[in-house]
Each structure stands twice: as structure tokens, then as C-alpha cells.
Amino acid sequence: MSSENLPQSPAPAAPSASAEAGASGQKPRVAVVFGGRSSEHGVSVVTAGAVLRAIDRSTYDVLPIGITREGRWALTSDDPERMTITDRKVPDVADLADSLEGGVVLPVDPASREVVYTEPGSVPKVLGDVDVVFPVLHGPYGEDGTLQGLLDLSGTPYVGCGVLSSAVGQDKEYMKRIFTSFGLKVGPYLVVRPREWERDQEGARRRIAEFVGEQGWPLFIKPARAGSSIGITKVESFEGLDEAMETARAHDPKVIVEAAIVGREIECGVLEFEDGPRASVPAEIPPVQAHDFYDFEAKYIDSAAGIVPAPLTPEQTAEVQRLAVAAFEAVSCEGIVRADFFLAEDGEFVINEINTLPGFTPISMYPRMWQESGVSYPELVDRLLQAALRRSTGLR
């Protein structure tokens, strides 16, 4: 197996956060922000539980902030045990919030990082400064550049990608366009925009029919800006097309239609080290029994197991690592990315998508790949926080 992009053993140690706190003697304060308004709310809560469990409390102070499905920012319990999937049900911020009446207000003034809690009829309560935000929001209103823009306005460092790369990483159409412009191979697709489906459904169906004539069945109908395989339908004929479109549009009015690619599903993690991004050992997602494809229930409810490391040749491993880092650089990513590929029957890797805030649940592939690469879960969390603390705010 190639080690070209893997961390050397032992990996260079990141500067300690407690040392960076300097003469003040205070530990850096981390706001872990989770939940949110997207359909991936529950997955985000599970991810937050894993991150809260992993943060070294002797090095960092932690402030958990949950965003309800309606968009209210709430102080929540710092109890990771309550943030797990129980009886096939994902957790909810509303069940963890100290109060659903009050709200957390982040600073918008770069001269202050002071977080305030307000509640009707009460004097606002100052919660203190936040040094870095660890967003674990998946999907729209968090992973898509919206939260990143708010944090940029306030001059607050944060883990992960910036506004542009987050937005591109959330939108499957523009992600594919950028990959293509950088010479990365993507699979055949077409986009059905909101106005087209609302005003000319017959025209949209004709375009899809022409696409089927070129690519054949099955098709995958997806929300263009969602994740965790939510809202995706595998369609075998025109009979299921309209229902699949409405399923996708329930999560995003913009829909992407993709041709099926026959091949193996391969994933690779990218992590920002002091000397730049490096790729993990890759993983393979084998065909999932009882599921048509690697959907939400297969990922999070039935805990389908990926194979880490993927059984690839040394040459294939080196190539997918190279492509993963190339995708990271093409979209100007920072901190963290999981790149998903198909290894097609002709032996060529086809990039499917990147995730700029991949799952951090106990069964998620990103931390598993880095664990196999020699970076433990707590070290992974620490490296992401340290990269964010090193990074300058503003244009970079």
C-alpha cells in the first residue's frame, strides 16, 4: 500500500491548545454547534455526541449549542449519552435544550467573540468568549456556507471549509462542474431546476427520457443539496419517476438525476496537516444486503459496515488518494473532506461527490479511515481544532 499521502509514523504533533492560550492561562473555548433546520438534524446530533465525547476537557472548554428544527439556537445538555440513536430513532435538539424559550446569540462584531443568552423577561446573560466553533451541522443552513458566512462576519475561527467550498460541496451540480473543470471524471447527470419542474414538467420528463435513452436504467433521483442519502430514490422505470421527483423535491426544489455507475464504492478521507492536506487509507462500501443502495437506513440505522482499508492494489490506493487530495484542492477546501468515488469496471475512478462536514458518528467512515491511518478519534478532533485556531480569519 502506498504511503504517499498518509501521515508519517509518528505524526508530527500539533501545537498544544493550552500552550497557545499563553500567559492568560485560559483554555481555548470551543462552541460545538449542531442540529439545525435540515433533514439531517438527527444525524448532526449523533455526530455532536461523538465529538463532545472526544474533546479533551483538560485542553479545551466546551460550550454545546443546539439549533432546533425551527432554527432557534439553544443551550443544551453536555451529555453525549443522550445523543445516540435509540430504538431506531435519531435524537433531537428539542429534547436536549435547557429551554426552548431562550436563545443563544453569536457575536457579529469582529472586535468581540462574546456569546450571549437571552430569555423573554430576563436580563441577557453573558456566556463568555468563544475562541473557535466546531460546526457539526449537516446539509442546508449549516454545511452549505451559511453558518460559515456568519462566522466570517464575526471574525470567529471555525473547523472545516470556508463559504465557497462549503457551498460548492453542498451543491452536487456545481461540485461536478468544478470537478470537470479540474480534469476529474464525473458520471453522467442532468439537473432539473425548480422553475422547470413547476412550469414545464412534460419538458423535464422529455429531457429525462432522452437521458435514459443514452444511459439506460436505473436512475438515481436526488435532492441536489442534501446529504446522508436522504431523499434519494433508485428508479427502474418511468412509472416511479414522478414519485421519486416529489420525494427529492421534499428536501430540495432542485433535483439532480444521475445514471447508475457499475463499480465498487470507494471512499477516502482528507485531513489538513501542518504541511498541507493528506489522504487516509481508502475504504470500500460493499453491496448492502436488504437495501437497494447505501441509503440513510443502511448508513445510520442498520449500521452497514464498510471495509477499511479497501482491498485495492497499491497502485489503486495511491491513485484514489491522489484524486481525493486533488478534489480537496479543486474546491479550495480546508480542514476536512470525505471524497466518494466509484471504481468503474474499466478500472478508472469516477468521483461521485465530496462531503465537507462528513459524519462523525461512531460508525462513520471518515473517522474509521483515519483510525486505520494512525490518527485516533480524539487526535482527529484535536487536529481539526488546531487547524482552525491556526488559520487566519477573513480572506485567505
Side-chain angles (χ1 to χ4, degrees):
M1 179 179 296
S2 168
S3 61
E4 178 183 345
N5 290 308
L6 296 181
Q8 302 301 307
S9 181
S16 72
S18 56
E20 289 189 1
S24 69
Q26 295 181 339
K27 296 180 287 188
R29 196 163 193 224
V30 182
V32 178
V33 182
F34 61 96
R37 294 162 55 193
S38 83
S39 52
E40 298 176 76
H41 177 101
V43 176
S44 173
V45 179
V46 176
T47 298
V51 170
L52 289 169
R53 193 179 291 112
I55 292 178
D56 182 356
R57 303 309 174 95
S58 69
T59 302
Y60 302 97
D61 285 329
V62 178
L63 177 66
I65 300 174
I67 302 177
T68 68
R69 294 179 186 272
E70 294 72 36
R72 179 178 291 275
W73 292 52
L75 290 178
T76 69
S77 165
D78 186 7
D79 183 1
E81 301 309 314
R82 296 176 60 193
M83 303 179 183
T84 58
I85 295 174
T86 305
D87 298 327
R88 303 178 70 85
K89 181 182 177 182
V90 293
D92 196 293
V93 165
D95 299 325
L96 302 168
D98 294 345
S99 168
L100 293 178
E101 297 298 320
V104 175
V105 180
L106 290 183
V108 292
D109 180 357
S112 171
R113 292 181 183 171
E114 195 171 75
V115 176
V116 175
Y117 178 75
T118 63
E119 196 163 324
S122 300
V123 176
K125 178 182 178 183
V126 176
L127 302 178
D129 290 355
V130 165
D131 296 293
V132 61
V133 172
F134 198 136
V136 290
L137 294 151
H138 301 304
Y141 314 111
E143 188 179 353
D144 59 351
T146 49
L147 176 64
Q148 290 75 11
L150 173 64
L151 295 173
D152 279 344
L153 281 173
S154 69
T156 305
Y158 54 90
V159 167
C161 294
V163 174
L164 175 65
S165 49
S166 296
V168 169
Q170 187 64 35
D171 190 310
K172 293 177 174 62
E173 176 193 0
Y174 289 100
M175 183 196 313
K176 291 176 187 292
R177 289 181 181 275
I178 287 180
F179 287 157
T180 300
S181 72
F182 276 82
L184 296 167
K185 184 175 181 180
V186 304
Y189 71 97
L190 65 83
V191 177
V192 180
R193 301 182 185 281
R195 284 192 293 272
E196 180 182 11
W197 189 253
E198 291 160 6
R199 299 177 183 178
D200 187 14
Q201 288 190 18
E202 286 306 315
R205 291 189 189 96
R206 283 195 298 272
R207 283 208 306 127
I208 295 172
E210 292 171 1
F211 186 71
V212 170
E214 297 169 357
Q215 304 297 331
W217 299 102
L219 301 179
F220 287 89
I221 311 296
K222 303 180 178 183
R225 294 164 291 193
S228 294
S229 298
I230 292 174
I232 298 178
T233 306
K234 182 180 179 181
V235 178
E236 304 279 358
S237 71
F238 283 111
E239 289 182 2
L241 178 62
D242 283 6
E243 183 179 356
M245 289 292 297
E246 293 310 318
T247 297
R249 282 172 50 81
H251 301 278
D252 186 351
K254 179 179 174 181
V255 175
I256 191 162
V257 180
E258 295 179 349
I261 297 175
V262 179
R264 298 162 60 187
E265 292 190 48
I266 306 294
E267 298 183 349
C268 191
V270 182
L271 176 64
E272 182 181 341
F273 283 74
E274 291 83 354
D275 59 353
R278 304 186 199 172
S280 70
V281 298
E284 179 168 7
I285 308 300
V288 184
Q289 299 297 325
H291 293 271
D292 275 348
F293 60 96
Y294 196 41
D295 61 6
F296 177 84
E297 289 212 350
K299 286 180 178 178
Y300 297 107
I301 305 298
D302 295 332
S303 304
I307 302 169
V308 187
L312 300 170
T313 67
E315 294 75 19
Q316 288 172 329
T317 295
E319 177 64 1
V320 76
Q321 289 173 335
R322 182 188 71 79
L323 291 171
V325 172
F328 184 98
E329 298 284 27
V331 188
S332 299
C333 295
E334 296 170 292
I336 178 173
V337 151
R338 193 194 72 232
D340 300 345
F341 298 86
F342 292 104
L343 177 55
E345 290 183 317
D346 62 4
E348 192 168 9
F349 284 101
V350 178
I351 189 164
N352 183 34
E353 63 181 21
I354 58 170
N355 277 268
T356 56
L357 281 174
F360 262 74
T361 69
I363 61 171
S364 294
M365 297 306 299
Y366 186 87
R368 287 185 59 198
M369 288 187 287
W370 279 109
Q371 177 76 40
E372 189 68 24
S373 303
V375 180
S376 69
Y377 194 110
E379 183 186 354
L380 179 61
V381 169
D382 184 64
R383 282 193 169 277
L384 289 168
L385 288 169
Q386 289 297 331
L389 287 165
R390 286 195 305 270
R391 196 177 301 138
S392 63
T393 57
L395 295 176
R396 53 187 180 270

